[in-house]
Amino acid sequence: VAYRCGGELMNFSVDKITLLAIAIPMVALLLVGYISYQNTIQFIQRDNLADRINLIIQRLEHLITTITDAETGQRGFIITNRVDYLDPYNSAIRQVHGQLANLGMLIANEPINQQISLNELNALKGLIQAKLSELNQTITLRQSHGINAALPIILSDRGKILMEKIRSTGSDIQNQLNSTLSTVTTKTQAYSQALADTIIIGTLLAAGIIGVSLFVINRGIHKRHLTIQGSLQSEVRKRTEELQIANSQLLIANEQLKLNGRMQQEFINIAAHELRTPAQSILGYAELANTRTEHTQKQIQSFIEVIYRNALRIQKLTQDILDVTRIESHTLKLHKIKFNLEEVIQNAIEDTKLKLVPDGHNNVKFEFKSSGKAEQVSSRSKGIFVVADRDRITQVISNLLDNALKFTSEGLVSVAISTNKEELLVSVEDTGSGIDPEIFPRLFTKFTSRSFSGTGLGLYISKNIIEAHGGRIWAQNNYEHGKHGATFYFTLSPAI
Amino acid sequence: MCGCLTTLVVQFKPKQKQHFIIKFHFFPSCCYKDDILDVGSQLKSRNIHTSPIYSNNIINEKKRIMIVDDERDIACLYKLSLEQDGFFVDVYSDPLVALANYKTGVYDLLLVDIKMPGLNGFKLYQEIVSRHLDNKVKICFITAFEEYLDEFKELFPSLDEVDCFIRKPIALKALSEKVKSRLQQ
C-alpha cells in the first residue's frame, strides 16, 4: 500500500511538472504572439500613416504644380493673348479649391503635427488665393486693356513673390510632413525591428523553455522510470525475501517433520527398549525360579523382588503412555482436593529414597526445605495447603526427583517450597551433570531424553499437569549461578 | 544367599605374606565386576592387595564370557543363568571400565549391550578388537532396541546378524543354546 501511495504521489508530481513544462512554453508563445500582434498592428498603423503622409505630400506637390501651371498659363496668355494658353489656368482654377479642401481634410484627419500643418495650410490657402487673385487681375487686364495694362502688376513682382511664398510655404509643410514621415518611418522600422526581435527572442525563449521543459519531462520520466524500477526492484527484493523466508520456514517445517519422524522412531525404539527390558527380567527370573530347582526360598524371594520392580517399571511406562494419550486427546481430568503439599513432597522423597539402593545411588542425599509460613496459608493446621490433584502433583514431584537422581551420581537433591500471596514455588535442585544444552530448548517436549533408561515423556506429562493446574514449570542449569546440576521449578496456587 | 559368587584372593602386605581366600557373596545388585574392582581398590587403599579368581585352574577349563550391560537385573540374570550352565561369567556395567580391564585371550565370548552410557556396544567391540588385537573372542550384541541393524551391517560387514544378535527378551534356555552355538562356531 505504501508503495502504491508513494507511486501515486510521485505520478502526481511528475504530471504537475509535465503540465508546467507544457503550459509555460504555451504561455510564452501566446505572449510572443500577443506582442507580435501588437507590434504588427502598430507597424501596419504606422505604415498606413506613412502612406497617408506621402499622399498629403503628393497632393501638396500636385497643388503647387497646379498653381505653377496656372501661372505658366497666365504668362503664356499675357505674352500671346491666345486663349488656349489659359487652359492650365482655368484647369487650376477649377481644381485648386477642391485640392485645397482635400488637402485640408487629409491633414485634419492626421493627429501628427496637425495644428502646425493646418496653420501652414491656412497660410498657403491665403497665398494661393492671393496668387489666383493676382493671376485673375493680370489676365483680366490683359483681356481688357492689353498687355501694357497688365505689365505693371507683373513687373511689380507681386506674383513672383507670392509664388515664392507659396513654394516656400508648400516646402515648409512638405518638410514638416517629411519630418513626420521620417518619424513614422523610424517608428515603423522600430516596430518592425521590435516585431522581428519579439519573434526571434520569443521563439528562442519558447524553444529554450520547451527544451528545458523537455529536459524536465525527460528527467521526470527518467525519475519515474527509476522510481518504478526501484520500486520494482524493492518489490522483487521483498518478494525474494518473502520467498526466502517461506523457503526457510518450509525447510524448518520439513526439518521439524523429519525431527518429529525421528523422534517418533526414537520413541518406538525407546518404548520397545523400556518394554522389553523389564519383560526380560520378569520372564527371565520367573523362568529361573520355575526351572531351576536348587534355589532357596530367599533366592526365590529376591527373584520375586526383581520381577515386582520390573512389573512396576512396565506399569509406569503404561501409565506414561496413557497420560500422553489423555493429554493429546484433551481428556486429562483433575480430581482436585485440598491437601498438604509438604506432606506430599516428603512422601515422594521417601519413595525416591527407596530407589537409591538398587540403582547404586548411595552417595545422594535428599533435603527438604519449606520457607512457607503455614499459618498464613492455613490457619487450621500446619502445612502448606493447595487445592489440586494430589496424585498428579505427586507424579510431577516424583518425576522431578527421579530425573534429579538419574543425573546425580553423588551429591544433594534439594526440594524447597517458597510462598507468596499469589503462588507457591516448588524447586527441585540437584548437584548432578545438569541439562544437556542440546536438548534444553525442547526439554518439556515429548521423547526428549538423555537418559539411557526413560521414554522422554516424564517432563512433557509434568508440564501438562502443572499447566492444567494453572501453574508454570521451567528449568535452569545451576552453572548459570556458578554451581553444578540443574534446578526445576513449578508453581501452584495456594489454597485460600 | 548364593548364586552370584565372587571370589577374591586377598594378600596382606608387607610382612604377612599369607594368602587368604575371602568369598564375597553379592546378589543380585552387586554382582558387577566394576563393584568388585571398587571393593578391590578400596582394599588396596588400605594396603590390602587383591587379585581376580580366574587364576583358578578349574575356572580356566570353563568357557569364559564377559557381559557388559548397564541393566543390572538383566546382567545378573544372564550371569546366574550362564553360570548354572557351566560358564565362567564376568559382568561389567560400565563399558569404559570393561575396556580398561580387558585382557586379551581371557574371554571366549562377549555379550555386550548396544546402548550404554559412555561407549556403545559396537564401539566397545571395535576398541577391544583394535586395541587388544583380540580377533579370537566372539561377540554377541544384546539389545532391546529396534533399529541397530543398519549400523551393525555397516560396521561389521563380515559378521552375521543372526549369529551376533540376542534380542531381549530371550528365554534363558534359548540364551544358553545361543551362547553354546556361538562358542562352537
Side-chain angles (χ1 to χ4, degrees), chain B residues 48-115:
Chain B
I48 301 168
H49 293 261
T50 62
S51 62
I53 192 72
Y54 44 68
S55 58
N56 188 306
N57 288 334
I58 299 165
I59 291 172
N60 274 346
E61 290 170 6
K62 291 183 179 179
K63 291 288 184 186
R64 277 161 262 158
I65 299 169
M66 182 170 88
I67 298 174
V68 188
D69 195 336
D70 58 324
E71 286 286 343
R72 287 174 171 265
D73 290 341
I74 291 173
C76 287
L77 174 71
Y78 289 171
K79 179 178 166 72
L80 278 173
S81 178
L82 292 172
E83 280 180 347
Q84 286 181 7
D85 287 332
F87 297 102
F88 174 78
V89 183
D90 274 335
V91 183
Y92 288 89
S93 67
D94 187 337
L96 295 170
V97 177
L99 183 63
N101 289 281
Y102 188 81
K103 286 185 178 169
T104 308
V106 171
Y107 299 108
D108 299 294
L109 176 65
L110 307 177
L111 295 183
V112 180
D113 188 22
I114 295 175
K115 191 172 182 183

Side-chain angles (χ1 to χ4, degrees), chain A residues 315-324 395 455 457-458 461:
Chain A
Q315 189 198 25
K316 170 82 168 57
L317 176 67
T318 313
Q319 191 61 43
D320 281 357
I321 292 170
L322 282 173
D323 282 347
V324 170
Q395 187 182 346
T455 52
L457 295 175
I461 294 166

